[in-house]
Amino acid sequence: MLSAKCDVRKSFMLVLLVPILAVLQFQVDRKLNDRMETGRGWKEIEGKSQEDILFQDFLSWLDGHGAIRDKIRFVDFDNFGRGALAIKTIPSDEEICSIPTHLLISGKVVKESEFGRKVMEQYEALEKLEEDAIEEGEKFKLSDEWTLTYFFILLEKSKGKDSHWGPYLSILPHHIGTPLTFTQGELNILKGSNLYSGTLALKTSVRKSYDRFLPLVKASVPSGFNFDEVFGFDRFMWAYQIFWSRSLSILLDGQRIGVLAPLIDMLNHHPKMKVSFFTDEIKKRFRIDAHHEIAEGTQAFINYGNRPNEKLLLYYGFIIPNNDIDWYFVRIGIQNENENENENSDENENCDEMDEVEKQEKRERTQLQLLSLKRMKLSFDHYFLMDKVPIVPRMKMTLRILCANEEELYLWEGRGNFAEDSKDKDSNLASDSRPGSYASDSVEDVPLSNRNEWLMLSTLESLLKGTAAKFPRNLQDNEEDLELALKNRRNFSENSIHAMYYVVGQQRILRDSLNYLKEMQRKFHEKFLALFQMPQLEKIIPLKGNDWLLYKMWFSANSSTEALSWEFSQDLDRPVICVTGCHENDLLGIFPENSVIIPQNLDLGNLVDGISEVSEGGLVTLYLIREKFQESSSQKSPFFKVLQPIPHVIFLEKEDVDLLFGNSYVAQNIYDLIDENFAEFQEIMEKLKENGNFNPEIHTWENWRWGNSVWTLRIELDDPEISCIQLEFQFST
């Protein structure tokens, strides 16, 4: 006897429910949004406060060292703070301002200072002492140079006017406003976001760098030095934020380095301003040039580059509402086969040779996937964009390759082996941390197969929904909180408002990406369902009025199906068998073996006399054609009278494939499938002609496609040696 159970994990077709999401609109905070404006409202610096006096000393220090700033004047802009006002029109491609290179604070300057040399001596002594214990890659590197720079900033600031950079360091802000110094309550607003986990990881990393260099710094300063006050961890964190919120990447002496540039770093950031900053090696000056005209009376800006709110907040301490270059970062990977190795240890002890074969096949498939990704210069790092196309081909192709089986990978590659590439042991994948180039890079958007496309879309859906579910509060609630905070600023810190803006922006990107994905899924299913609406799928034999009644009687007499009932479907215009009160693994029905078709036990009579090497599918197809299209006394006759054409791609003509899928790998898959079936059909028909059993009225290509499509709905029994097709009912979702 055969039993059928409900398995909700194995559905024949996926039905998508697309809810309509309500979006709460609210007015954008004007103060923050003014960062996108040119900043015309301003007032002169009063010069009465201690901060203003220090700033005037700073300007005098600049002038005394040869800074050129005759085209700008520093003023206090409305909603902007201190910035550079153009006091004359600055034409395109002209210098805005410049300073001599000896005012720059760079890693080279730090290492060549007395303090830097002493710390390096301590480092080299430690390295020599622990040479055997220091692993490769742990020697002095760029991040160590930065760490040394943070300590150098603190040391120079402690010198006050005795420092070469004293006037500059005295005017630097006391508070930066990055998440590194958020209170726990402010940090909790970021929960669920990349920035929350990123901030915790960065704090740990900064602390590790501090602890690593602390003994070296202590040994490099005079005895009696007020070490804790100057080099405490809070002060170190301040220096870290100062460096990353103000440093510029420049070419100096043929090397690209990060530097602090007094005067130039006083200009405010604007993401759409076209400027460049570079070193004039001949004149030994560092300058910033405008590449569009800056009108007199408007603010002159610097541009840090394309920065999403995540980086603006983490490194600079501010955000841009409705930042059109914002993104949500995701890292996609391949599951390690050893991740669950220790789970279910009892089962692992019983792993047989087949498990090892499966593991080897998985390893080989993974290697093919990695090689394909490498050839396309794809990485595991991807972004959902704040854009009308938030999911770009680069991400889709990565997921297609990671969801592909070996057949799809070989077909996509267009060759049968990877021998040449497998010699290359370097499997490092391209990494792209700049979403601007990420979005604009040309990557071919090519489906591999229907199966693969469905998996890719499903994986994307799981990725988006899983990512969105990490946030403890939904988008609508967070939007309402932000709107309330903007109306009651006095009750909320600036850090809290920045955090709310960031989280709302991230959730909006995920929402828009999910909506875009749903449209992708709709188009895919429209194209897929078009396969079920071709004219070739018309009923081959009209049903007689009592056919369904006879089938119902036959079905009831040959099964035990308490969970099933008959209802008439208006959509299908025929009765259907429905499942009532079904749960996973519930028993649906019990059927005797003689109610199923088993290829090994088909009664084909002399139909295949003299025919050998016929596939199971070919045998079943011949049997189905004979039973349905000939008057037969078969006990399954009521079933065959109601069995209709099954939607399948082999019903398509090649022109229909071209219309639906164009020049794609999906189309090639369908061409191959149709050609394989037609070749088998022709071969078997020739043999039927030879043994005298060929009937031109029923042994047609149309009927062969019908029988073959029915065979595709076969189910697998527990016994791997037996295949069968499900006769009595079909499930519809």
Side-chain angles (χ1 to χ4, degrees):
M1 304 290 282
L2 300 177
S3 65
K5 291 187 176 182
C6 175
D7 188 346
V8 297
R9 297 166 297 180
K10 299 179 181 179
S11 301
F12 178 68
M13 184 181 298
L14 176 68
V15 177
L16 295 176
L17 301 178
V18 184
I20 299 176
L21 301 179
V23 180
L24 178 65
Q25 299 294 333
F26 59 89
Q27 183 179 5
V28 176
D29 174 43
R30 180 63 185 176
K31 177 178 179 181
L32 291 175
N33 206 44
D34 274 342
R35 289 192 182 276
M36 302 297 293
E37 305 300 332
T38 56
R40 290 182 179 272
W42 56 271
K43 64 180 180 179
E44 296 286 357
I45 299 175
E46 295 180 358
K48 296 180 180 179
S49 67
Q50 181 63 27
E51 291 181 356
D52 291 346
I53 294 173
L54 290 174
F55 191 78
Q56 293 300 334
D57 291 342
F58 164 66
L59 295 179
S60 299
W61 173 77
L62 287 171
D63 296 338
H65 282 279
I68 298 176
R69 58 182 187 92
D70 58 311
K71 298 174 184 176
I72 59 173
R73 184 170 79 250
F74 285 95
V75 299
D76 290 330
F77 285 92
D78 296 345
N79 302 325
F80 242 105
R82 193 151 295 173
L85 176 73
I87 57 178
K88 61 176 72 173
T89 296
I90 305 175
S92 178
D93 299 325
E94 283 199 7
E95 177 184 300
I96 299 174
C97 60
S98 66
I99 59 173
T101 54
H102 72 262
L103 293 185
L104 298 173
I105 299 178
S106 66
K108 180 181 179 181
V109 169
V110 173
K111 288 190 291 185
E112 291 178 353
S113 69
E114 181 182 0
F115 169 75
R117 289 196 302 270
K118 289 183 177 179
V119 174
M120 290 299 296
E121 289 173 1
Q122 294 292 327
Y123 190 97
E124 290 168 3
L126 179 65
E127 184 181 62
K128 186 176 181 180
L129 182 66
E130 301 179 356
E131 185 173 357
D132 295 337
I134 296 178
E135 299 179 1
E136 186 65 27
E138 286 297 318
K139 298 183 179 182
F140 198 86
K141 47 189 180 293
L142 182 59
S143 60
D144 294 328
E145 184 177 293
W146 292 336
T147 302
L148 185 58
T149 301
Y150 312 148
F151 279 110
F152 178 80
I153 291 171
L154 295 175
L155 178 64
E156 291 299 310
K157 184 172 176 60
S158 71
K159 295 178 181 179
K161 294 182 179 181
D162 293 334
S163 169
H164 175 58
W165 293 275
Y168 168 64
L169 297 173
S170 69
I171 63 150
L172 295 179
H174 302 295
H175 176 72
I176 310 300
T178 76
L180 292 174
T181 54
F182 276 14
T183 66
Q184 189 58 50
E186 292 166 345
L187 193 61
N188 286 341
I189 299 174
L190 300 174
K191 277 190 174 180
S193 70
N194 289 329
L195 191 51
Y196 179 79
S197 55
T199 299
L200 297 181
L202 185 56
K203 277 186 173 182
T204 301
S205 175
V206 173
R207 182 75 207 202
K208 183 178 179 181
S209 298
Y210 174 78
D211 291 340
R212 184 165 178 246
F213 265 76
L214 199 60
L216 308 180
V217 174
K218 281 186 176 180
S220 303
V221 296
S223 59
F225 185 84
N226 193 354
F227 189 88
D228 292 337
E229 182 177 338
V230 175
F231 296 121
F233 181 68
D234 289 343
R235 301 300 300 151
F236 182 83
M237 186 69 82
W238 171 85
Y240 175 93
Q241 294 176 89
I242 284 292
F243 181 81
W244 286 106
S245 64
R246 310 184 77 84
S247 64
L248 303 173
S249 177
I250 67 168
L251 277 174
L252 186 63
D253 298 329
Q255 293 184 327
R256 181 159 292 280
I257 59 175
V259 300
L260 291 179
L263 174 63
I264 293 174
D265 66 1
M266 297 302 298
L267 276 62
N268 289 312
H269 166 68
H270 195 302
K272 295 183 179 179
M273 289 297 170
K274 297 179 181 178
V275 297
S276 62
F277 34 86
F278 57 94
T279 303
D280 186 330
E281 298 284 358
I282 297 176
K283 296 181 179 180
K284 299 296 181 182
R285 299 191 68 81
F286 181 64
R287 56 187 283 180
I288 178 171
D289 286 8
H291 295 297
H292 59 82
E293 182 181 282
I294 301 176
E296 179 183 351
T298 62
Q299 186 169 182
F301 290 94
I302 198 171
N303 187 346
Y304 298 139
N306 291 336
R307 296 288 188 272
N309 281 339
E310 189 164 283
K311 287 195 173 182
L312 289 177
L313 187 53
L314 182 60
Y315 294 111
Y316 301 92
F318 68 90
I319 58 97
I320 298 175
N322 301 323
N323 188 349
D324 58 4
I325 55 173
D326 213 356
W327 44 253
Y328 191 103
F329 170 79
V330 290
R331 176 162 290 156
I332 302 168
I334 299 177
Q335 184 179 11
N336 190 325
E337 67 179 37
N338 296 320
E339 283 182 5
N340 300 321
E341 194 175 71
N342 296 324
E343 296 180 10
N344 303 319
S345 56
D346 293 339
E347 295 181 11
N348 289 332
E349 292 177 2
N350 297 323
C351 287
D352 55 16
E353 187 176 343
M354 182 59 68
D355 293 322
E356 292 303 318
V357 172
E358 291 176 355
K359 288 181 180 180
Q360 180 60 27
E361 290 176 349
K362 182 177 179 181
R363 284 192 289 267
E364 291 174 356
R365 183 173 67 253
T366 299
Q367 185 63 19
L368 297 181
Q369 291 168 335
L370 292 174
L371 288 171
S372 297
L373 291 172
K374 184 179 178 182
R375 262 194 294 276
M376 289 194 71
K377 298 182 179 179
L378 297 172
S379 78
F380 292 137
D381 292 348
H382 291 276
Y383 309 88
F384 295 110
L385 306 177
M386 176 70 78
D387 192 83
K388 62 181 179 180
V389 183
I391 304 172
V392 298
R394 179 174 290 273
M395 177 183 287
K396 290 189 283 184
M397 285 309 302
T398 298
L399 287 173
R400 285 180 181 127
I401 292 173
L402 295 180
C403 291
N405 57 31
E406 291 185 17
E407 180 183 356
E408 289 161 343
L409 287 170
Y410 280 126
L411 178 62
W412 179 74
E413 290 288 342
R415 56 188 176 191
N417 66 79
F418 292 77
E420 179 181 352
D421 295 289
S422 62
K423 296 176 184 178
D424 185 358
K425 301 300 182 181
D426 181 13
S427 61
N428 293 328
L429 300 180
S431 180
D432 189 342
S433 60
R434 297 173 298 170
S437 60
Y438 172 88
S440 61
D441 281 349
S442 176
V443 174
E444 191 178 10
D445 191 1
V446 183
L448 273 61
S449 70
N450 278 335
R451 183 205 77 91
N452 180 269
E453 195 71 359
W454 181 84
L455 278 177
M456 182 274 290
L457 294 172
S458 300
T459 302
L460 259 178
E461 182 178 21
S462 298
L463 176 62
L464 279 166
K465 289 184 175 179
T467 302
K470 293 178 181 178
F471 290 90
R473 293 168 59 80
N474 62 41
L475 173 58
Q476 182 175 342
D477 290 342
N478 283 330
E479 285 180 328
E480 291 174 352
D481 287 350
L482 177 56
E483 185 177 22
L484 177 64
L486 295 177
K487 291 178 179 178
N488 301 275
R489 277 188 170 276
R490 294 181 180 179
N491 299 326
F492 295 87
S493 67
E494 200 72 6
N495 290 344
S496 296
I497 293 176
H498 287 171
M500 291 179 192
Y501 259 121
Y502 164 74
V503 169
V504 166
Q506 295 287 279
Q507 289 182 301
R508 284 178 174 173
I509 292 173
L510 294 175
R511 175 203 63 194
D512 294 345
S513 298
L514 187 57
N515 289 339
Y516 183 81
L517 171 64
K518 289 173 181 176
E519 181 64 16
M520 288 169 55
Q521 291 172 320
R522 184 191 65 79
K523 290 180 179 179
F524 171 75
H525 282 275
E526 278 186 355
K527 182 176 286 189
F528 190 77
L529 290 173
L531 301 176
F532 300 87
Q533 299 168 356
M534 303 304 296
Q536 291 86 348
L537 297 184
E538 294 178 0
K539 297 176 181 178
I540 297 177
I541 297 178
L543 292 178
K544 298 178 182 179
N546 63 346
D547 283 343
W548 281 108
L549 179 60
L550 294 173
Y551 174 60
K552 180 179 178 181
M553 294 172 60
W554 177 86
F555 181 87
S556 300
N558 286 276
S559 64
S560 174
T561 55
E562 296 179 359
L564 305 178
S565 63
W566 287 83
E567 294 183 12
F568 187 85
S569 169
Q570 298 291 342
D571 294 333
L572 301 176
D573 193 30
R574 64 175 174 81
V576 294
I577 300 173
C578 298
V579 180
T580 57
C582 172
H583 298 87
E584 185 171 357
N585 294 323
D586 281 356
L587 182 66
L588 295 181
I590 300 176
F591 309 92
E593 286 190 20
N594 61 11
S595 68
V596 298
I597 297 175
I598 302 174
Q600 291 85 345
N601 298 326
L602 295 177
D603 181 13
L604 292 171
N606 65 350
L607 184 62
V608 291
D609 285 354
I611 301 178
S612 60
E613 298 181 357
V614 181
S615 67
E616 288 185 352
L619 289 173
V620 174
T621 300
L622 284 174
Y623 176 80
L624 292 174
I625 292 173
R626 189 190 70 177
E627 294 292 305
K628 182 171 180 65
F629 297 104
Q630 289 189 126
E631 291 295 330
S632 173
S633 59
S634 169
Q635 64 170 339
K636 301 181 182 67
S637 178
F639 165 71
F640 289 112
K641 288 183 180 295
V642 300
L643 193 58
Q644 294 301 301
I646 307 299
H648 197 281
V649 293
I650 63 170
F651 281 89
L652 297 172
E653 303 299 339
K654 287 194 173 182
E655 54 268 25
D656 298 323
V657 177
D658 292 336
L659 178 64
L660 287 168
F661 298 102
N663 184 21
S664 71
Y665 297 106
V666 177
Q668 187 60 52
N669 267 332
I670 297 175
Y671 294 153
D672 293 344
L673 182 62
I674 294 174
D675 290 344
E676 290 173 7
N677 277 274
F678 188 70
E680 183 182 28
F681 163 73
Q682 287 184 311
E683 181 181 357
I684 292 179
M685 292 306 110
E686 289 298 322
K687 293 179 179 179
L688 288 180
K689 291 176 182 178
E690 292 175 4
N691 69 14
N693 287 318
F694 178 73
N695 183 338
E697 293 184 1
I698 66 170
H699 292 140
T700 64
W701 172 232
E702 287 75 18
N703 288 347
W704 180 269
R705 289 191 292 185
W706 166 82
N708 194 277
S709 68
V710 172
W711 169 246
T712 62
L713 285 187
R714 65 189 183 276
I715 61 174
E716 302 297 328
L717 299 179
D718 292 335
D719 185 348
E721 299 299 322
I722 300 178
S723 297
C724 69
I725 62 173
Q726 184 176 345
L727 293 182
E728 287 71 25
F729 59 87
Q730 300 171 20
F731 291 109
S732 83
T733 307

